[in-house]
Amino acid sequence: MDGGSQLTFPLPAGAYHVALRHRNHLGVMSAAPVALSSASTLVDLRASTTATYGTEARMPLGNGYALWPGDATGDGVVKYTGSANDRDAVLQRIGGSTPSAVVSGVYDRHDVNLDGVVKYAGAANDRDIILQTIGGTVPTAVRVEQVP
């Protein structure tokens, strides 16, 4: 939520997989169940020592990991081309006919870089993040969320 406050869950003590999702990022989940109880338990999905479910479930970032950005359609797949791709969703959100248009000041799933602006073209646009997430060189590549 804010990166520092503890989260509480009204669940009985037990072993649970811990999953994290954010509005336009691919989710991530712990590889093994984590013992949770009324005592605080740290589950740091940024840490390289925290095993996650699947293959390349997180994006390398500095000395740790982050969620893969770019899921503007919310379907668990980041696609730059083809049907139901995330790039076209960004273009449609700004109106679809003028690529230089922007939508500002909204909490929007199409704001892939989280700067408060949905932008298709120009500096700091959301379209480039989608291309980088799929690898940057093959526009037909896809990245699939690793949460079952």
Side-chain angles (χ1 to χ4, degrees), residues 6-84:
Q6 291 185 11
L7 300 176
T8 58
F9 301 96
L11 300 168
Y16 298 90
H17 284 275
V18 176
L20 175 67
R21 287 193 168 106
H22 185 259
R23 71 175 171 194
N24 53 18
H25 291 68
L26 299 179
V28 66
M29 183 177 79
S30 62
V34 177
L36 299 177
S37 67
S38 60
S40 293
T41 302
L42 176 65
V43 180
D44 189 351
L45 292 166
R46 299 171 300 176
S48 60
T49 55
T50 303
T52 55
Y53 180 86
T55 304
E56 293 185 348
R58 301 170 293 177
M59 176 181 83
L61 184 64
N63 292 327
Y65 289 91
L67 298 176
W68 288 106
D71 188 10
T73 61
D75 64 357
V77 179
V78 178
K79 294 172 61 176
Y80 192 77
T81 61
S83 64

Side-chain angles (χ1 to χ4, degrees), residues 70-122:
D71 188 10
T73 61
D75 64 357
V77 179
V78 178
K79 294 172 61 176
Y80 192 77
T81 61
S83 64
N85 72 67
D86 298 285
R87 178 183 52 90
D88 285 349
V90 171
L91 182 59
Q92 290 169 0
R93 178 64 179 97
I94 62 162
S97 60
T98 307
S100 59
V102 299
V103 174
S104 298
V106 295
Y107 187 83
D108 194 299
R109 81 171 308 107
H110 302 92
D111 176 14
V112 175
N113 65 8
L114 306 177
D115 67 353
V117 178
V118 180
K119 188 175 182 182
Y120 185 81

Side-chain angles (χ1 to χ4, degrees), residues 120-140:
Y120 185 81
N125 70 67
D126 298 293
R127 176 180 48 87
D128 286 348
I129 302 294
I130 296 165
L131 185 59
Q132 291 166 3
T133 293
I134 63 159
T137 57
V138 180
T140 56

